[in-house]
Amino acid sequence: MSAPFLTTSGALFTLDQEHLEIREEARAVAASVAQYAAEADELDVVHRPMAQAVKASGLTRYVIPAAYGGANETLDPLAIAIVREEFAAVSAHLDSLYGMQGVGSYAITVGGSDALRAEWLPKVLSLDAIAAIALTEVEIGSDLRSVSTELREEGDEIVITGEKSFITNAPEAAFFCVLGREGDGYSMAFVPADTPGVTVTSGPDLIAPHIIGGVTFDEVRVPKENRLGETGKAFSLMLQVLAVFRATVAGASLGIGRAALEEALKHTQTREQFGKPLLNLGAVSQKLALSWAELEAARALTYSAAAQAAAAPLAHIAETSMAKVVATETAGRVADRAVQSMGRFGLVRGSDIERHYRNSRPGRIYEGSTEVLLDSLARQLSKRTKAALENGGGIL
């Protein structure tokens, strides 16, 4: 794989030396497994050479706190976003293997007991335990306050009953961090995948293949020490997970969009029509120039939001939500323009551009769909406007 030619040193957001080195390290790992990208992106099971490359790289040190082998005392969303951008530019499978180790384990990092963290986070770091978080259900997607899975305490145990759906990593996961109702509130529990009463099914088959499946919890019993966060108050814990990792989803989308644009640029520079390269035709060149501008703007927002989220994720959930909306929507537009610019060659099944086009689509749905995030942002905007009108001062 040739080096990407659209990555800047941070034209709109200056990266420090540490983060520049993280990017170079991630880029080298991605290049080392680029030969497997098409193969891996069609799988719904772990691609072992890619998993081994992630493990050997040690880059999972950025999704685990320093006390358990990680790089920093608290997670650095900017570092994770940078790694995900480089990984996703090569393979969505590679990105998911990496990113989900953080998403799936962060509730343990923040809300787990010392014993749980000591036992499981080193395994997440080494990829000896594939992580998963179980939020959505058959009838429940973005409206997580309507989950029907139930948690209850009986003596020294937590009992979990319910069915989760579209759970990333489910068929390969070593454990699940499960969200459910407990009384009038919401709780989370850590459930090893081999616990009696846990049943995992594979599928469905997605347009952008993914390790995904359903999980049924039939009167599953775990020690009450497996509780994550406070009883009945775990909704804020779940929001913290999303607040940290939405910015990293944005990073992954940047990588996919960049890869799609680079494919279009290479094609239009070498493909001639009307006696000149396609890239010299105004209608084509302007579309691609707009894509470049939008990617740079989305990257600046993403890096800024990720940096702000490092110290106080919930305080900056608006910024990380904005970053996810802007970056995922941008990636979709950029991939579509790339296909259009490549004409019939953009429609070839099994090509890199077809793979990037498909991979650009799911990001606008998972970890908060565009519509749900915009609705939440609109409510915040309304509150700020009302407060400004009542108290004077600027709205934004």
Side-chain angles (χ1 to χ4, degrees), residues 153-176:
E153 272 197 23
E154 286 189 4
D156 293 333
E157 296 179 317
I158 300 173
V159 183
I160 304 123
T161 301
E163 184 177 359
K164 297 294 184 177
S165 178
F166 277 73
I167 304 304
T168 298
N169 280 352
E172 299 270 3
F175 63 81
F176 302 95

Side-chain angles (χ1 to χ4, degrees), residues 268-287:
T268 56
Q269 181 64 55
T270 57
R271 172 76 170 164
E272 289 196 2
Q273 292 288 283
F274 307 106
K276 65 179 75 172
L278 279 175
L279 190 57
N280 290 353
L281 296 178
V284 173
S285 62
Q286 289 178 20
K287 285 182 187 294

Side-chain angles (χ1 to χ4, degrees), residues 78-99:
L78 178 56
I80 301 168
I82 290 169
V83 174
R84 294 193 67 176
E85 179 178 348
E86 296 303 323
F87 281 9
V90 169
S91 164
H93 187 92
L94 180 65
D95 164 60
S96 184
L97 281 176
Y98 177 78

Side-chain angles (χ1 to χ4, degrees), residues 198-330:
V198 176
T199 303
V200 180
T201 56
S202 295
D205 189 15
L206 304 180
I207 61 171
H210 197 62
I211 306 171
I212 202 164
V215 190
T216 300
F217 302 92
D218 183 9
E219 293 287 295
V220 171
R221 294 176 178 269
V222 296
K224 65 180 182 181
E225 289 77 19
N226 283 24
R227 181 179 296 283
L228 301 173
E230 297 182 49
T231 302
K233 298 181 179 180
F235 207 83
S236 62
L237 173 60
M238 183 271 297
L239 287 177
Q240 189 170 347
V241 174
L242 297 178
V244 169
F245 284 93
R246 275 178 183 158
T248 78
V249 174
S253 292
L254 292 173
I256 295 169
R258 188 185 84 205
L261 179 54
E262 289 187 349
E263 285 297 311
L265 288 168
K266 288 184 286 188
H267 176 84
T268 56
Q269 181 64 55
T270 57
R271 172 76 170 164
E272 289 196 2
Q273 292 288 283
F274 307 106
K276 65 179 75 172
L278 279 175
L279 190 57
N280 290 353
L281 296 178
V284 173
S285 62
Q286 289 178 20
K287 285 182 187 294
L288 300 183
L290 179 59
S291 292
W292 183 24
E294 290 185 345
L295 279 172
E296 289 293 346
R299 181 179 289 112
L301 175 59
T302 296
Y303 285 8
S304 176
Q308 291 178 69
L314 288 176
H316 295 287
I317 196 167
E319 288 79 7
T320 55
S321 295
M322 288 179 197
K324 182 183 182 296
V325 169
V326 171
T328 58
E329 293 290 332
T330 295

Side-chain angles (χ1 to χ4, degrees), residues 37-255:
E39 172 188 325
D41 283 7
E42 290 295 323
L43 294 181
D44 58 2
V45 296
V46 170
H47 187 275
R48 297 302 167 184
M50 280 197 171
Q52 189 58 40
V54 174
K55 179 176 181 176
S57 75
L59 285 168
T60 48
R61 66 187 181 273
Y62 293 106
V63 302
I64 298 297
Y68 305 96
N72 304 296
E73 291 300 324
T74 58
L75 267 58
D76 177 3
L78 178 56
I80 301 168
I82 290 169
V83 174
R84 294 193 67 176
E85 179 178 348
E86 296 303 323
F87 281 9
V90 169
S91 164
H93 187 92
L94 180 65
D95 164 60
S96 184
L97 281 176
Y98 177 78
M100 279 307 301
Q101 289 301 91
V103 177
S105 67
Y106 191 64
I108 305 171
T109 295
V110 177
S113 67
D114 290 341
L116 274 181
R117 289 195 290 262
E119 179 179 0
W120 287 95
L121 292 183
K123 295 178 183 178
V124 172
L125 178 72
S126 65
L127 268 77
D128 291 324
I130 298 295
I133 185 169
L135 303 178
T136 57
E137 300 180 357
V138 175
E139 300 297 333
I140 304 299
S142 297
D143 183 16
L144 291 174
R145 292 190 183 275
S146 297
V147 293
S148 60
T149 297
E150 293 184 351
L151 280 67
R152 69 179 190 274
E153 272 197 23
E154 286 189 4
D156 293 333
E157 296 179 317
I158 300 173
V159 183
I160 304 123
T161 301
E163 184 177 359
K164 297 294 184 177
S165 178
F166 277 73
I167 304 304
T168 298
N169 280 352
E172 299 270 3
F175 63 81
F176 302 95
C177 295
V178 185
L179 175 71
R181 288 181 176 273
E182 186 170 15
D184 294 329
Y186 302 87
S187 295
M188 291 188 76
F190 174 87
V191 181
D194 59 0
T195 305
V198 176
T199 303
V200 180
T201 56
S202 295
D205 189 15
L206 304 180
I207 61 171
H210 197 62
I211 306 171
I212 202 164
V215 190
T216 300
F217 302 92
D218 183 9
E219 293 287 295
V220 171
R221 294 176 178 269
V222 296
K224 65 180 182 181
E225 289 77 19
N226 283 24
R227 181 179 296 283
L228 301 173
E230 297 182 49
T231 302
K233 298 181 179 180
F235 207 83
S236 62
L237 173 60
M238 183 271 297
L239 287 177
Q240 189 170 347
V241 174
L242 297 178
V244 169
F245 284 93
R246 275 178 183 158
T248 78
V249 174
S253 292
L254 292 173

